[in-house]
Structures are given as structure tokens and as C-alpha cells.
Amino acid sequence: MGEKVVAGAFDLSDRQHYRDKLRRCLTGLERLLAQKRFDRPKNLMGLEIELNLAGADGLPKMLNGQVLERIASRDFQTELAMFNLEVNIAPHRLGGRVFDRLAEELRTSLAYAHRKAGEVDAGIVMIGILPTLDRDDLVTSNLSDVDRYTLLNDQIVAARGEDFALEIDGVERLSCTSKSIVPEAACTSVQLHLQVTPDRFAGVWNAAQAVTAAQIAVGANSPFLFGRELWRESRPPLFQQATDTRPPELQAQGVRPRTWFGERWISSAYELFEENLRFFPPLLPICDEEEPLEVLDAGGVPSLAELVLHNGTVYRWNRPVYGIADGVPHLRVENRVLPAGPTVTDVIANAAFYYGVVRSLAAEPRPVWSRLPFEAAAANFDAACRYGIDARLLWPRRGRLGGVVEVDAVSLVRDELLPLAEAGLDGWGVEPADRDLYLGVIEERCRRRANGATWQVATFHRAVDAGLSRDAALAATTRRYAELMHLGEPVHTWPVGLPEPVPMR
């Protein structure tokens, strides 16, 4: 949805025309795959991080337009609501000291953005859900001043035909409604891109699906919403409900939600794009002038604009991406599972773990998806979101016996997945110093059973026990989080609780 979209009304013919163009785009993709026109292996990765703006009081600030004007960099852009920004890091080749370089680039970019935000009394907070967000913050008037967000909101609201129901039953229960999709803006995430050849796409996507639960378990950072303590990673249920075009009757019929884990392992990228057309009505029927099949017939590379736009309105946790660079088409797996933060070191550690383990799992002779039912992978994802680092997950049993066994998430990561991640990073050619530093962060989180969510919850409860009201405790937790985030030490080292007040002499 980063493309420029101009708002306007749609009529019935627009939707039919768009559907026809989508089919021609899909045929174009099929022909490109058959002709083997895609880019050769380049081991390219990319990174996007969604950010929050908050004041010195820890409360959200609706100032992204003013902050972006001051930042004046194409690396930063708007996100859905006025308290959101997104930073994009240019693609890097996996290998060498890539993770240290990424960390340095991110630290420089975020420090600059934080300074510029300070000019309007705001600051950058990198967190899954800002704990101080209130229902009054997530209203249509706080949508970013960009046509595509207004248009997307209008189309999803029209498709649903009634208020959105937000119901999450966690440590506490949240039950409320929204007249718009703006609650989705509470969810700020890290998106990890990996460019892959068509032959490798299915293996990488399947591997990414299999490890989503492990990613969430060690990386959870979103335990609060609207003053309630919910799931350790509350973004996925919130995102699904805030974008749900299905009224209750369609949900009862089993119609798929637009925010979707999926329902099966795949054997090609084409299957995911084809599913998007088969299951999901277009939300933004905006047609490009290009005729993709004519471009192909002339020996060119079509942009497949309608297919790309439609794909951007189906919110898979691992999304297929079609793109063109230097006139050559390529495919990427976009991993959208992780919350933002807590620190740059934590973000890069999460990335190193993901890229390493996915490479190893995708190359296994008996791949995990041949031994783990897809339904178990989906159940693992829900369990990890609900319980975070204390989740128990289903995983294929070692040895010849086969079958699936329930295992503690920490044990799975420490005993099985970290060694695979280490081997995978070696396969990418990542230097041992980089590998050991960032995988060591994941290992320490497992050893201490600590991540962003555990720190937020423990610090909040300590503040309440010290006599603060819930709202004051959430604000104090947010301020302390922001302070530690900018200091930059990884979250497993953060002291729980608020700093002791300095006594007056």
C-alpha cells in the first residue's frame, strides 16, 4: 500500500474491469514464471520498521506530517495514523558483517528522526503497541492526510457494512467497537524481506510459516491495548479484527479474513497470488493503463500493477511480493510477524534469527512442513501470540518415530532452532562475530525468559503495586521504555521497574 493512490468513487464497471485486469496480470505472472524471466539468486534482504510518535509524557502525538517535513528523507514515510511513521532500509546482500552495518544504519536513522521529532516536542518510540493509546486516539480524524488511507478505510468499512468488533480475551478482556480501521494503526511491526528465486520461493515461504510462532515467542512486545493487559503479542488479533470485512454471518460461513495465516503449505509463489484472486474481492479497483500481456508479447516486463495493489490489501503474515529492479522481475517473501522494537540490537537479533533459521529449514531433505500439519503451525502462531515466551508449541518429533510433540517454546528455540540459525547464517556467509553477537541475544532472552512483553508487564505491575493508577503506570512504563530503547542495550538486560526517585536534599 505504499503506492500513490488517488481517491475517487468506484462504480460497478470499475470492479468488473479491475477483476478482468487481475486475471490478465495473473496470466502474465504465470508466463513470466514459465519463461524463467526472474532474477538470479542475489541473497538480498530488506527491512522496514513502523514507529510511533509520543511526547515526553508518553502519550501519542498526532504529528507525523510535521515530523516528516523536518526529517526530509525518502527513507521515512507516513503510515496509517498521524502518530505513525515508517523507516525503510535499502536492500543489503546477506553475508559478511551485514547485521552490524544494518544496526549502524538504523541507529543513525532513528537518532536523526528522534532529534527532528524533538523539534515539535515528540519522540520516536519503537514498540509493538504504544501502551498509552486510548480509543479516542484511534478515530478517523487521526488518519494520516494521504488519499490511499482514506480510500482504504472507506472501502473496508463499506465492505463490512457495520462497526468493527474488537474482542480479545487475554489476561484481561477487551470488548469494544470501532467505526473505522484506524485501530489497525496501533500495530507497529518490523517487515523482513528476502528476495528468492521462483524455485526456492515455496520452501522459504513454508519455512517462514513454520517458524512464525518461534519468532513471536522470543520477540513479543505488545501486551497492552486501551489500558488492558491482553495477549503477550496482541497485534495479530487486533490487526485481524480491525481489517475484517466479514460481518458475523460471513465469519460463520468460514469466509477467510483478509488478515490471514493461510490454510496450507504451498509448492509455488503462483498459488498465493491465485488464492488472493479466488478468495478476496478487490478493495481498491484502480486500473493501470498498462496491458500486461501486450507488454509480455513485446518482450517487456509488465508491472502487474493491479496484482501488486490487490496483494497489498491481503494481509498475510508471510506475504508474496512481486517487484521489478533494473528492468528484471523478482520475488520476495515479506515476513510481517514481528512487532517493532524494543531496541535496534533486538530488531537485528530477530532478523538474524529469522534469516538463519529459514535458510536451514528450507534446505532440509525432510522439510519441517512435510512433518508438521499446517493446522499445527497455525495453532502454534496463536499460542505464541497469547503466551509469548511461555508458550508451548507443537513440533515434529526427532528420530524415526515421527509424529508431533508439544515442546516449550524456549527449549525449541534454544535446542533446535538456534543451531539451525547458526548453520543458516554460515550458509549466507555471515561472519562469526556478527552471527554470535546477534544469535547470542536470542539465546539470552531464552535463558532469562525475557523479552519486550515480559519487561512491559513486570514494570507496569510494579508501578501499580507502588501506588500508581493504571493510566499513570502505563504512561510511566512507556516513558521508561522509551528511555531504555534510546540507550540501546538489548531488552533482556533492562532492569524491571521504574527508576527510584532522586531524594531532595
Side-chain angles (χ1 to χ4, degrees):
M1 281 304 299
E3 301 301 316
K4 186 175 181 182
V5 172
V6 179
F10 303 120
D11 61 28
L12 299 180
S13 63
D14 290 328
R15 295 190 182 279
Q16 187 57 54
H17 182 46
Y18 186 82
R19 188 173 281 115
D20 292 342
K21 281 292 296 282
L22 273 177
R23 292 194 188 105
R24 294 200 290 280
C25 284
L26 190 64
T27 300
L29 176 66
E30 189 175 29
R31 283 174 54 180
L32 283 167
L33 289 165
Q35 294 167 9
K36 301 188 183 301
R37 297 275 299 277
F38 284 82
D39 208 356
R40 298 181 303 279
K42 286 192 173 177
N43 297 353
L44 284 177
M45 58 152 293
L47 188 67
E48 303 168 57
I49 307 177
E50 295 162 353
L51 308 164
N52 290 283
L53 292 172
D57 56 4
L59 302 180
K61 297 278 259 186
M62 307 298 165
L63 293 170
N64 65 357
Q66 295 175 49
V67 173
L68 284 168
E69 198 174 294
R70 285 165 169 77
I71 292 173
S73 166
R74 290 184 180 178
D75 292 343
F76 287 84
Q77 60 191 40
T78 56
E79 259 300 324
L80 184 62
M82 290 182 181
F83 62 90
N84 298 143
L85 299 176
E86 181 174 88
V87 60
N88 298 287
I89 300 299
H92 283 61
R93 192 178 299 274
L94 275 160
R97 298 300 298 269
V98 63
F99 294 116
D100 260 358
R101 289 200 308 276
L102 275 170
E104 188 55 38
E105 284 180 36
L106 261 179
R107 285 190 189 100
T108 302
S109 292
L110 292 179
Y112 174 70
H114 188 59
R115 282 200 309 276
K116 290 298 178 182
E119 294 175 9
V120 290
D121 297 322
I124 300 293
V125 183
M126 189 165 56
I127 192 168
I129 295 176
L130 198 64
T132 49
L133 280 170
D134 188 80
R135 288 180 60 187
D136 292 341
D137 297 317
L138 297 173
V139 292
T140 310
S141 58
N142 285 335
L143 274 173
S144 290
D145 188 19
V146 179
D147 279 347
R148 69 176 180 271
Y149 300 130
T150 303
L151 188 55
L152 183 67
N153 178 67
D154 291 349
Q155 294 301 305
I156 291 181
V157 168
R160 184 173 175 87
E162 59 189 75
D163 287 356
F164 296 85
L166 305 179
E167 295 194 7
I168 305 174
D169 198 1
V171 177
E172 298 174 308
R173 181 174 173 78
L174 174 72
S175 182
C176 62
T177 60
S178 172
K179 295 186 179 302
S180 73
I181 67 168
V182 186
E184 175 203 326
C187 308
T188 42
S189 65
V190 173
Q191 287 125 45
L192 302 173
H193 290 254
L194 179 60
Q195 185 176 324
V196 292
T197 58
D199 288 346
R200 290 185 61 217
F201 184 95
V204 170
W205 188 86
N206 288 341
Q209 288 285 95
V211 298
T212 53
Q215 287 181 273
I216 288 285
V218 295
N221 196 28
S222 315
F224 296 107
L225 177 65
F226 299 160
R228 305 285 170 83
E229 182 183 345
L230 301 173
W231 291 10
R232 289 302 181 251
E233 186 53 44
S234 304
R235 282 170 41 256
L238 172 59
F239 201 106
Q240 177 174 325
Q241 293 173 25
T243 57
D244 202 341
T245 55
R246 309 167 303 162
E249 295 82 2
L250 292 185
Q251 294 180 36
Q253 290 174 35
V255 172
R256 287 119 180 130
R258 292 192 88 97
T259 299
W260 199 35
F261 187 80
E263 60 192 20
R264 63 189 177 95
W265 307 115
I266 63 163
S267 56
S268 75
Y270 176 86
E271 294 172 26
L272 296 175
F273 289 102
E274 188 277 331
E275 273 187 353
N276 287 355
L277 269 64
R278 184 155 40 101
F279 293 151
F280 302 105
L283 286 176
L284 301 171
I286 300 167
C287 287
D288 192 78
E289 292 181 2
E290 175 191 84
E291 280 298 335
L293 300 184
E294 291 178 10
V295 173
L296 268 173
D297 290 341
V301 177
S303 66
L304 307 183
E306 292 81 9
L307 192 76
V308 169
L309 179 60
H310 185 56
N311 186 52
T313 66
V314 179
Y315 304 102
R316 296 177 184 271
W317 295 110
N318 285 293
R319 178 189 272 167
V321 178
Y322 169 87
I324 301 172
D326 301 322
V328 182
H330 66 263
L331 292 172
R332 304 194 301 275
V333 174
E334 181 190 16
N335 178 261
R336 304 159 49 80
V337 170
L338 289 164
T343 66
V344 169
T345 298
D346 288 301
V347 168
I348 300 301
N350 290 340
F353 175 65
Y354 169 75
Y355 288 118
V357 78
V358 160
R359 179 181 174 114
S360 285
L361 287 177
E364 282 187 328
R366 284 188 65 220
V368 64
W369 58 91
S370 69
R371 298 176 287 134
L372 182 70
F374 193 90
E375 296 75 17
N380 283 347
F381 180 64
D382 283 346
C385 290
R386 186 180 288 271
Y387 300 112
I389 207 154
D390 294 321
R392 293 188 62 79
L393 309 175
L394 299 169
W395 198 252
R397 192 192 308 270
R398 291 184 185 182
R400 294 184 178 180
L401 290 174
V404 172
V405 64
E406 188 178 78
V407 60
D408 185 68
V410 162
S411 301
L412 174 64
V413 171
R414 197 171 46 202
D415 300 341
E416 270 195 70
L417 298 184
L418 274 172
L420 287 172
E422 187 174 327
L425 293 181
D426 289 345
W428 290 121
V430 171
E431 287 196 18
D434 244 24
R435 177 199 69 201
D436 294 345
L437 172 63
Y438 291 106
L439 293 186
V441 170
I442 304 297
E443 188 170 15
E444 277 299 298
R445 283 193 221 150
C446 290
R447 189 175 72 81
R448 304 184 191 202
R449 287 185 172 263
N451 57 22
T454 65
W455 183 89
Q456 287 187 58
V457 167
T459 297
F460 165 76
H461 283 293
R462 193 168 291 186
V464 169
D465 291 345
L468 270 63
S469 70
R470 287 179 69 96
D471 286 349
L474 286 168
T477 299
T478 303
R479 292 193 298 271
R480 180 63 171 155
Y481 177 102
E483 179 188 344
L484 293 169
M485 181 207 107
H486 288 291
L487 288 174
E489 291 300 315
V491 73
H492 67 263
T493 68
W494 289 9
V496 167
L498 305 175
E500 293 293 323
V502 178
M504 299 292 289
R505 291 190 176 183

